[in-house]
Amino acid sequence: MKKINSNNGLISETNFNSTIFNSDLSIYEVVRVINGVGIFLEDHFVRLQKSFKTQHIIFDMSFNDFEQKN
């Protein structure tokens, strides 16, 4: 299984098994920023979690980390 995690703002993949790698896999989320502040961050975070879950990828980032990095 693949695992995505955050380490001081660097997103990395661990426990990588090359036999399940799919180079066509993409997860895309756009956050609108107004005056340097991300808008609707909780909604974006929930959607991002769901996107990772549907791809069977562990998303190891707290909302606090997500909020601080945006």
Side-chain angles (χ1 to χ4, degrees):
M1 177 177 277
K2 296 174 279 184
K3 178 180 178 182
I4 305 299
N5 57 30
S6 171
N7 183 8
N8 293 325
L10 297 174
I11 305 301
S12 61
E13 186 171 304
T14 58
N15 299 329
F16 178 74
N17 179 346
S18 62
T19 61
I20 61 169
F21 179 70
N22 180 353
S23 62
D24 295 332
L25 175 64
S26 295
I27 297 174
Y28 185 79
E29 181 71 25
V30 177
V31 176
R32 184 174 182 188
V33 177
I34 298 176
N35 296 326
V37 178
I39 305 302
F40 307 116
L41 286 182
E42 288 183 46
D43 295 337
H44 288 290
F45 185 73
V46 169
R47 268 195 307 275
L48 195 57
Q49 285 179 311
K50 287 179 183 178
S51 295
F52 275 86
K53 186 175 182 177
T54 62
Q55 296 299 321
H56 307 287
I57 301 172
I58 297 169
F59 183 66
D60 188 20
M61 179 186 283
S62 69
F63 175 72
N64 189 47
D65 288 340
F66 179 76
E67 185 176 37
Q68 293 300 315
K69 303 304 174 194
N70 281 299

